Amino acid sequence: MSNNVVDVQSIPMGRESSSSLVVFLQVPSTFLGSASTAKVAGLSTTLNPVIVEYFREPELRPVLRKKASLGIRTKESVFSVLDWSIRADVDEAFDAAVDLLSECGNCLVDGLVYLYLEYPLKSTTQFDLEKKLDVLINGLARSQQLSAEKRLTAISELMSSKSRIVKAAIIDALAMIVNSRNKKRVEGMLKRYASSSEADIYIQNYAKEVLEDLA
Amino acid sequence: MLPSLEDVRIEATPVYIHKIDRQTHWNPAEKISLEDRVQRVVKEIFKTPDHTYSFWLVETLSDFYHVAASINALRRSPSDEIPSIWVKPAELSQIGLQANRTEEGKCLYAKNCITILRSLLTTPRNYASC
């Protein structure tokens, strides 16, 4: 590999833990916005103060995560988390939302189906919708409250998506959900993306890499 | 087994690692002009209102493990994968950015993200590394 100035990769984490070597640390963001209500697809939903604190205080997230997740029981509350997930003024908003949603269960499936099939596009942009689907797919794939089969079935509903963001999220999700019982089904889904019928070469290669890892 | 720097496609050290949310943020679409790609990447990666960003210095394999552990320290699963980009120190200086080691609370100030990205994205890339 050659002259790359910048490379993108995933760092597979080891178990070693240690103090950090910090060169630049992120300045804590200035957190803006209302803590009282949010618009969710035309509905107003009251924001749980614990969820607000969870997003506002990055260092408290590990201790607040469980408590904050107790306030997420409906698709509307899932959407309020998704609104936080795409805010530029919240530190590590994407990861924070994925981790929080991964503590939840059936409301993730309800939210995913609604967001993908029924969400009124007038209430958001296509781009933001895809970003929210990315977060939700990632959260659902990590959910320990849902069986692997339930997660797999929910995610398979999105296989018709033409979006690179959604396709990549599905491939990552499949890699997380796979186990000895569903391996054939997961491989079948991955092969659809890895085949020449997949128009996006990036997605084709991405799926091939995951298939190789599963082999 | 813990990965080597080669396993995560870092060719040489030292490099600065910058965590991103998703690999698709760096590779947003199949057919896209450089200018559009720059705009999309800025919107997704270099988006904080105060234009400050964390770049972690990796000089050795041990540094790399420390950085990875630090980045995931507050995550629900510390073994979560970390999508990232890496930049050589010389490339930062080429575009006029000065790296200053800080202990806490201060970061690289990169007001003109578009300049950085145009420079980084025009360099030949190996697809397999993305």
Side-chain angles (χ1 to χ4, degrees):
Chain A
M1 204 171 92
S2 54
N3 307 327
N4 292 355
V5 168
V6 142
D7 197 358
V8 182
Q9 68 281 313
S10 292
I11 303 172
M13 276 287 302
R15 293 191 185 84
E16 184 171 341
S17 68
S18 166
S19 59
S20 60
L21 176 73
V22 178
V23 176
F24 305 107
L25 275 180
Q26 212 144 7
V27 176
S29 306
T30 306
F31 299 99
L32 306 170
S34 165
S36 54
T37 58
K39 274 276 192 191
V40 179
L43 302 170
S44 277
T45 180
T46 303
L47 289 182
N48 181 320
V50 184
I51 294 176
V52 175
E53 188 182 10
Y54 173 82
F55 279 101
R56 282 181 166 173
E57 303 292 344
E59 289 176 3
L60 295 180
R61 284 173 189 162
V63 292
L64 290 175
R65 191 173 296 128
K66 204 80 178 171
K67 193 175 171 188
S69 72
L70 298 176
I72 306 167
R73 289 285 179 269
T74 63
K75 64 176 182 288
E76 286 77 13
S77 52
V78 170
F79 293 158
S80 71
V81 173
L82 296 178
D83 287 340
W84 281 99
S85 76
I86 60 170
R87 287 175 62 154
D89 62 332
V90 175
D91 201 16
E92 301 297 343
F94 180 96
D95 289 346
V98 167
D99 286 349
L100 181 55
L101 293 176
S102 69
E103 298 281 354
C104 305
N106 284 322
C107 60
L108 299 177
V109 179
D110 297 341
L112 189 69
V113 171
Y114 182 77
L115 191 60
Y116 184 61
L117 297 175
E118 301 169 41
Y119 198 80
L121 260 181
K122 280 181 186 169
S123 29
T124 187
T125 65
Q126 180 67 27
F127 189 47
D128 281 351
L129 181 64
E130 290 176 8
K131 289 197 304 183
K132 288 178 180 179
L133 279 168
D134 193 5
V135 173
L136 189 45
I137 293 166
N138 268 278
L140 187 142
R142 290 166 171 80
S143 171
Q144 297 303 307
Q145 288 195 29
L146 299 169
S147 70
E149 296 319 300
K150 192 158 193 176
R151 285 178 279 157
L152 196 52
T153 299
I155 283 168
S156 67
E157 297 291 323
L158 280 70
M159 291 281 290
S160 59
S161 172
K162 305 286 183 211
S163 154
R164 173 181 285 190
I165 292 173
V166 173
K167 287 176 183 175
I170 291 172
I171 292 169
D172 287 338
L174 293 175
M176 282 183 261
I177 295 170
V178 68
N179 61 32
S180 54
R181 287 193 301 278
N182 63 27
K183 192 173 176 188
K184 270 198 167 178
R185 185 178 173 198
V186 166
E187 284 178 336
M189 291 165 79
L190 286 168
K191 281 175 184 168
R192 276 180 56 184
Y193 288 126
S195 76
S196 55
S197 62
E198 169 56 56
D200 188 336
I201 303 298
Y202 177 88
I203 290 298
Q204 250 191 53
N205 288 330
Y206 200 46
K208 282 176 187 169
E209 282 179 20
V210 175
L211 275 169
E212 281 170 18
D213 289 344
L214 294 184
Chain B
M1 195 174 127
L2 293 172
S4 66
L5 291 175
E6 290 76 22
D7 290 337
V8 294
R9 299 159 181 162
I10 292 177
E11 296 167 39
T13 54
V15 291
Y16 290 112
I17 289 180
H18 176 63
K19 179 189 172 299
I20 61 178
D21 290 335
R22 302 285 289 150
Q23 292 193 26
T24 43
H25 291 173
W26 189 256
N27 301 283
E30 184 75 358
K31 290 169 186 167
I32 187 169
S33 70
L34 174 64
E35 213 44 49
D36 286 346
R37 188 176 173 197
V38 166
Q39 298 300 334
R40 288 279 294 268
V41 173
V42 166
K43 197 172 173 189
E44 287 309 307
I45 298 178
F46 296 98
K47 60 186 178 185
T48 60
D50 59 0
H51 306 294
T52 56
Y53 303 97
S54 304
F55 283 75
W56 301 73
L57 180 62
V58 170
E59 294 178 304
T60 66
L61 183 59
S62 174
D63 291 346
F64 171 72
Y65 294 150
H66 293 176
V67 167
S70 300
I71 288 175
N72 265 0
L74 300 177
R75 295 298 308 274
R76 180 171 181 257
S77 165
S79 62
D80 240 44
E81 289 198 341
I82 305 170
S84 59
I85 56 175
W86 58 263
V87 187
K88 295 175 184 172
E91 291 155 357
L92 285 184
S93 33
Q94 271 170 19
I95 51 179
L97 290 173
Q98 180 71 43
N100 294 313
R101 184 182 294 263
T102 69
E103 288 184 3
E104 191 173 359
K106 299 290 179 189
C107 247
L108 180 66
Y109 183 69
K111 188 172 183 180
N112 192 346
C113 300
I114 292 178
T115 307
I116 304 172
L117 283 167
R118 196 175 285 114
S119 165
L120 298 179
L121 291 171
T122 47
T123 306
R125 297 175 52 77
N126 179 336
Y127 172 77
S129 68
C130 299

